[in-house]
Amino acid sequence: GDSVTQMEGPVTLSEEAFLTINCTYTATGYPSLFWYVQYPGEGLQLLLKATKADDKGSNKGFEATYRKETTSFHLEKGSVQVSDSAVYFCALNTDKLIFGTGTRLQVFP
Amino acid sequence: GAVVSQHPSRVICKSGTSVKIECRSLDFQATTMFWYRQFPKQSLMLMATSNEGSKATYEQGVEKDKFLINHASLTLSTLTVTSAHPEDSSFYICSASRRVETQYFGPGTRLLVL
């Protein structure tokens, strides 16, 4: 069945460091791909999405490109801030949302 | 973005009792609501999908008599865990949707069954 695999955390970075969180997927058909973020005490929020191959989703300095050839949707940010500390979930949508296990990001000053 | 609330945020109950969790969309009418369950260090697993005024559609392996879902209005869905047992302890998250691929998530409810 369809599935999402993302790197285990926590990912610990200093402020202004470069961030990559890997995400790969397995799906039949052509899913839409998403990154959600969950800040402490809050619900998941959609961070960015891409609906077809080679699309790049971007928001708040984060980017991810839908790579069909490598079945990947890695999340990147050039310079992280302390306020980016949260749990990040990669997900795909065919007829329902399927989530990865989440990656906790901790950014220190 | 749209706001979805859940109540309670945390509940502790004795084994054998029933627990009701509410999910409300505060500023929009949700045609569809979803209930997820999340175990520690695992991903969110969809339990069921409910449309206002109709019966919920449960995912394979989810007991419909155990997890009762009611979607009485366009702004409220409830999940009742009946005769709860320690293995039902988990983090339950709802989301609300007004169109395909746009889900707004609640903050979750942590259930602990003693």
Side-chain angles (χ1 to χ4, degrees):
Chain A
D2 297 348
S3 66
V4 175
T5 302
Q6 61 182 106
M7 61 190 292
E8 290 190 21
V11 174
T12 303
L13 295 172
S14 298
E15 207 164 24
E16 298 184 4
F18 184 86
L19 168 71
T20 300
I21 300 178
N22 290 338
C23 171
T24 56
Y25 68 91
T26 302
T28 54
Y30 303 95
S32 295
L33 301 175
F34 304 82
W35 277 100
Y36 283 86
V37 58
Q38 186 176 31
Y39 298 103
E42 299 182 18
L44 276 73
Q45 302 172 26
L46 179 63
L47 179 60
L48 54 85
K49 69 177 183 180
T51 57
K52 60 183 187 297
D54 299 325
D55 269 2
K56 177 186 284 188
S58 61
N59 185 24
K60 299 181 181 179
F62 291 89
E63 293 182 341
T65 301
Y66 191 141
R67 301 284 188 202
K68 189 163 178 271
E69 63 277 12
T70 54
T71 62
S72 65
F73 193 55
H74 304 321
L75 183 68
E76 297 182 337
K77 186 175 186 182
S79 175
V80 295
Q81 305 300 312
V82 172
S83 57
D84 294 326
S85 298
V87 181
Y88 292 82
F89 292 88
C90 184
L92 66 81
N93 190 347
T94 49
D95 60 346
K96 61 184 179 183
L97 273 176
I98 296 173
F99 290 88
T101 53
T103 303
R104 182 175 299 278
L105 170 65
Q106 297 174 324
V107 181
F108 293 95
Chain B
V3 179
V4 175
S5 70
Q6 279 184 244
H7 178 79
S9 58
R10 181 187 297 263
V11 58
I12 302 172
C13 69
K14 293 183 179 179
S15 186
T17 61
S18 293
V19 174
K20 180 185 284 188
I21 302 169
E22 291 186 350
C23 177
R24 292 181 185 273
S25 57
L26 299 183
D27 53 0
F28 71 101
Q29 293 185 323
T31 53
T32 306
M33 286 186 168
F34 304 84
W35 287 96
Y36 295 84
R37 184 173 178 176
Q38 184 180 25
F39 292 99
K41 298 185 180 180
Q42 295 188 29
S43 61
L44 283 74
M45 303 296 295
L46 180 64
M47 298 174 65
T49 302
S50 73
N51 293 296
E52 185 263 340
S54 61
K55 290 185 178 180
T57 301
Y58 289 81
E59 295 297 304
Q60 191 173 7
V62 178
E63 299 176 59
K64 61 179 67 175
D65 295 330
K66 174 76 167 175
F67 299 99
L68 299 179
I69 292 171
N70 183 278
H71 192 164
S73 75
L74 287 171
T75 59
L76 173 65
S77 177
T78 60
L79 168 68
T80 301
V81 183
T82 62
S83 187
H85 288 94
E87 59 265 28
D88 299 323
S89 299
S90 194
F91 195 55
Y92 293 89
I93 301 172
C94 74
S95 72
S97 173
R98 53 188 170 189
R99 64 173 189 265
V100 176
E101 294 196 348
T102 304
Q103 293 187 33
Y104 300 96
F105 287 82
T109 297
R110 187 163 301 283
L111 170 63
L112 177 61
V113 185
L114 302 177

